[in-house]
Amino acid sequence: MIFELIVQQLVNGLTLGSTYALIALGYTMVYGIITLINFAHGEIYMVGAFVGLYLVTAMQWNLLAAMAGAMAFCMVMGIVIERVAYRPLRRSTRLSALISAIGVSIFLYSLMLLIRGAQPTRFPKIFPDRMLSLGVAEISLLQLFILAVSALLMIGLHYLVQKTRVGKAMRATSQDYDTAALMGIDVNQIISYTFAIGSSLAAAGGVLVGMYFNAVFPLMGYQAGLKAFAAAVLGGIGSIPGAMLGGVLLGVLEMLGVAIGLSSYRNAIAFTILILVLLIRPTGLMGRQIQRKV
Amino acid sequence: MTFLDNLISPYYTQVLIFVGIYIIMALGLNLITGVTGQLSLGHAAFMSIGAYTAALLSIKAGFPLWASLLSGAVMAGLFGVVLGFPTLRLTGDYLAIATLGFGEIMVVVFYNLKITGGALGLSPIPIKTNLVNVYLLVVLAVLVMYRLQHSRFGRALLAIREDEIAAESMGIHTTRYKILAFAIGSFFAGLGGGLYAHRVSYIAPGDFGFMKSIEILNMVVLGGLGSIPGAILGAGVLASIPEVLRGLRDYRMLFYGALLVAMMVFRPNGLLGGVNFRRLVLRTVRTLTGDRRPAGGDKTGVRG
């Protein structure tokens, strides 16, 4: 009985964790390249969920097309935000870029509050409530869909970053910004790409979570953004596999925490784990060791 | 106090008191983030510790105001040491991340603790904060911060901000100084929290979330990092902006967000960042007295 409960929570945690991972990837990629904690990322995820919802309900698109639409929309939004709010601050202190990001975040959720109000909107039911048996646990069709989509997107990202020219340029830029520029890489363009990719992954995460919890609301980016950021740091900020691992791990641990009766402390679980891990391994689970240079 | 009440309407009294409380907390964060260069994203957590401690002592133990405030501030400072000790040994953004996490954890803890009233919050806290005692403490805080920044201790902190490795090789015990600065900054956050609790008479965990920390950080960055007049100006502007923008109703936060971006894009070092006040005053005095000699540069490295 206990064993079955744990396996069941493992399945739930894996589903939740893969959505955290999708959001965490955007944090980690942006941080890896311009060392900015992009606090507007949670709001991009929220906007993605709303765009997906709009395309499914008002435009009657099918789910996959709506998801692609939301991803494309947020891609453009990510590029525009970087142009307007971060690029002018590239050469000033990191703190001013951070405050600018917070400004964007406040702007976006207030805008959505004005348009949609604070009440959550329900996502139309697309998947039937059928549960597939896994022997000891059950998995719903929706959970299966979330896992499959997240896995596909992450494999796609891995391919993009490891095997293509753009990916190579991204890795070079994150390793050494100035040297990459000297090697003839258009750094500004690479940063735009990074924001575009990160934002589209967040949008996909937004649509998936909107369906999973059956609620889309303007403040949904706040907790999800903070937790995904925690996941990115847990995995080692700047590391793409780290963000995936951190996201899945946090999701699983959170659900296990709920299972053992810590549900009222649910939002504290992620951060407690984060602080504990940082004390033992400051660079996160898969982070690079940073050489201190004089 | 009564004669002041007749001079200023209750509405303005309230706004001025909040400005004063925010000035005290912004000065604390300015020491951590502005002077020492350590980014803290959890200042509101220390504010909440001060607020709850002071409020509980006032309600349950009947402490006089000054004793509650002091205990709250000391408690916040102690938590600062506890959190700073493991995290400040590391360089980089770890303090930022740990303080962010700590802030979220404290909110959840206050929601679940019996003694703090959980989600219902604490009330009624006796209303004892008024214009006189707030601004007395503001003056005191400014004096303390000014003396701190222009002491051996303050110069060590500045050295850490500019280059930690160089500071260390000059014989500055960086970890100890960083923890001390963090504890003092948290102390002021706790003091502000206590004042806040004794003004609004009702506190709940939701009052001290991540957005509150960000609000205080905005004040420090907007005014100009490391600048005492900057922190005062930032707190004054940002604590009263929501009141000024009240006419915009629902569009208030929208403007606030856009304003933050615009201010950073056009004035990335803050309103008063890089302004040298001694020089400014000297120049003004010389212009006024008709003295044509160029103003002497202040080379101590304290920016504004």
Side-chain angles (χ1 to χ4, degrees):
Chain A
M1 190 55 209
I2 296 289
F3 175 70
E4 281 167 15
L5 184 73
I6 288 175
V7 176
Q8 186 58 51
Q9 291 298 32
L10 219 59
V11 172
N12 297 344
L14 217 59
T15 316
L16 184 66
S18 59
T19 64
Y20 285 163
L22 283 181
I23 316 170
L25 283 167
Y27 277 110
T28 224
M29 287 166 68
V30 166
Y31 191 92
I33 288 194
I34 53 174
T35 59
L36 165 74
I37 304 173
N38 182 13
F39 274 115
H41 196 62
E43 272 59 44
I44 294 177
Y45 150 90
M46 175 271 292
V47 171
F50 268 110
V51 173
L53 178 71
Y54 174 78
L55 292 178
V56 167
T57 51
M59 310 292 285
Q60 298 289 326
W61 287 19
N62 88 358
L63 180 61
L64 285 176
M67 210 151 134
M71 286 171 77
F73 185 89
C74 286
M75 217 176 236
V76 176
M77 198 170 84
I79 294 174
V80 171
I81 290 173
E82 193 269 329
R83 272 281 160 84
V84 175
Y86 307 151
R87 189 167 295 182
L89 292 164
R90 192 79 53 74
R91 291 285 163 200
S92 38
T93 58
R94 288 176 42 210
L95 255 179
S96 30
L98 188 81
I99 302 289
S100 191
I102 290 161
V104 173
S105 150
I106 295 175
F107 180 85
L108 286 176
Y109 80 68
S110 330
L111 188 68
M112 281 324 277
L113 272 174
L114 278 176
I115 299 175
R116 299 297 304 240
Q119 282 302 318
T121 317
R122 294 194 165 281
F123 219 98
K125 209 173 213 59
I126 291 167
F127 291 95
D129 278 328
R130 201 144 54 88
M131 303 295 273
L132 303 176
S133 177
L134 293 175
V136 281
E138 288 180 319
I139 185 166
S140 73
L141 282 176
L142 177 60
Q143 284 180 320
L144 208 59
F145 177 75
I146 292 174
L147 283 172
V149 170
S150 322
L152 269 177
L153 285 172
M154 284 187 237
I155 292 168
L157 178 73
H158 181 80
Y159 174 80
L160 185 82
V161 171
Q162 295 297 332
K163 306 282 181 201
T164 63
R165 255 179 94 80
V166 174
K168 203 179 217 174
M170 281 169 116
R171 280 182 286 140
T173 312
S174 88
Q175 231 171 46
D176 192 328
Y177 184 93
D178 293 316
T179 313
L182 287 175
M183 294 296 130
I185 293 171
D186 186 346
V187 180
N188 278 330
Q189 200 185 8
I190 291 302
I191 292 172
S192 287
Y193 281 140
T194 310
F195 271 87
I197 296 168
S199 306
S200 67
L201 291 175
V207 176
L208 293 176
V209 172
M211 283 195 297
Y212 193 41
F213 291 129
N214 198 10
V216 179
F217 52 101
L219 291 174
M220 69 189 279
Y222 170 71
Q223 273 294 337
L226 286 184
K227 277 188 202 161
F229 175 63
V233 178
L234 181 67
I237 192 131
S239 150
I240 289 177
M244 298 177 188
L245 177 74
V248 171
L249 210 60
L250 269 195
V252 169
L253 289 173
E254 195 180 313
M255 291 319 285
L256 287 182
V258 171
I260 59 169
L262 288 174
S263 54
S264 59
Y265 283 91
R266 183 168 172 172
N267 286 335
I269 294 173
F271 298 103
T272 313
I273 296 166
L274 176 71
I275 291 179
L276 291 179
V277 169
L278 284 184
L279 293 183
I280 304 158
R281 249 189 93 83
T283 50
L285 298 173
M286 300 179 76
R288 297 182 279 219
Q289 210 68 42
I290 300 158
Q291 199 78 41
R292 283 179 86 194
K293 277 179 272 186
V294 180
Chain B
M1 199 47 218
T2 39
F3 90 96
L4 267 178
D5 278 342
N6 294 332
L7 277 177
I8 308 169
S9 79
Y11 173 69
Y12 288 110
T13 310
Q14 186 79 348
V15 174
L16 282 175
I17 285 176
F18 279 128
V19 167
I21 294 173
Y22 275 112
I23 288 176
I24 294 173
M25 294 193 291
L27 283 171
L29 186 61
N30 183 48
L31 188 74
I32 302 171
T33 306
V35 180
T36 322
Q38 309 297 311
L39 178 56
S40 165
L41 295 176
H43 213 52
F46 297 101
M47 177 192 177
S48 70
I49 292 169
Y52 273 107
T53 311
L56 281 173
L57 287 175
S58 277
I59 296 174
K60 307 244 150 123
F63 271 38
L65 180 68
W66 65 269
S68 310
L69 288 180
L70 192 67
S71 320
V74 168
M75 187 64 99
L78 284 177
F79 268 90
V81 175
V82 171
L83 186 69
F85 193 72
T87 48
L88 282 167
R89 284 178 302 142
L90 309 164
T91 47
D93 285 339
Y94 294 109
L95 184 72
I97 294 154
T99 46
L100 189 161
F102 179 66
E104 288 302 297
I105 292 171
M106 285 319 290
V107 171
V108 177
V109 167
F110 284 134
Y111 264 118
N112 286 290
L113 276 185
K114 281 240 159 46
I115 189 164
T116 60
L120 291 175
L122 265 186
S123 76
I125 305 158
I127 299 175
K128 289 179 182 164
T129 304
N130 55 41
L131 269 179
V132 178
N133 54 29
V134 165
Y135 279 90
L136 269 178
L137 285 171
V138 167
V139 171
L140 207 65
V142 171
L143 283 177
V144 169
M145 283 298 168
Y146 186 82
R147 293 305 302 160
L148 267 180
Q149 276 199 27
H150 294 82
S151 66
R152 188 188 165 83
F153 176 71
R155 284 189 294 275
L157 297 184
L158 279 173
I160 293 173
R161 176 183 80 181
E162 294 305 324
D163 191 329
E164 205 169 326
I165 299 173
E168 211 169 350
S169 61
M170 287 298 158
I172 296 171
H173 194 315
T174 53
T175 306
R176 186 189 300 160
Y177 277 98
K178 283 195 286 185
I179 293 174
L180 255 174
F182 190 62
I184 297 171
S186 306
F187 176 91
F188 280 96
L191 183 63
L195 286 168
Y196 174 84
H198 286 89
R199 181 67 205 177
V200 296
S201 173
Y202 164 73
I203 50 174
D207 301 348
F208 309 103
F210 177 62
M211 280 320 290
K212 183 70 89 188
S213 299
I214 291 304
E215 219 175 289
I216 305 170
L217 180 67
N218 286 342
M219 293 170 182
V220 177
V221 178
L222 185 75
L225 283 169
S227 156
I228 292 175
I232 297 171
L233 181 76
V237 169
L238 286 185
S240 44
I241 267 190
E243 302 302 324
V244 177
L245 294 182
R246 205 165 276 280
L248 296 170
R249 289 163 208 275
D250 296 342
Y251 294 88
R252 196 159 63 123
M253 287 313 281
L254 198 68
F255 269 87
Y256 182 74
L259 213 61
L260 279 184
V261 177
M263 288 214 203
M264 282 304 120
V265 169
F266 295 114
R267 197 102 180 89
N269 291 321
L271 293 176
L272 300 180
V275 177
N276 188 326
F277 271 87
R278 234 169 96 187
R279 217 156 150 179
L280 200 68
V281 171
L282 277 177
R283 204 165 60 198
T284 320
V285 169
R286 289 210 175 113
T287 326
L288 290 178
T289 54
D291 190 343
R292 287 270 161 257
R293 271 178 307 163
D298 177 5
K299 291 274 164 26
T300 51
V302 182
R303 290 208 203 117

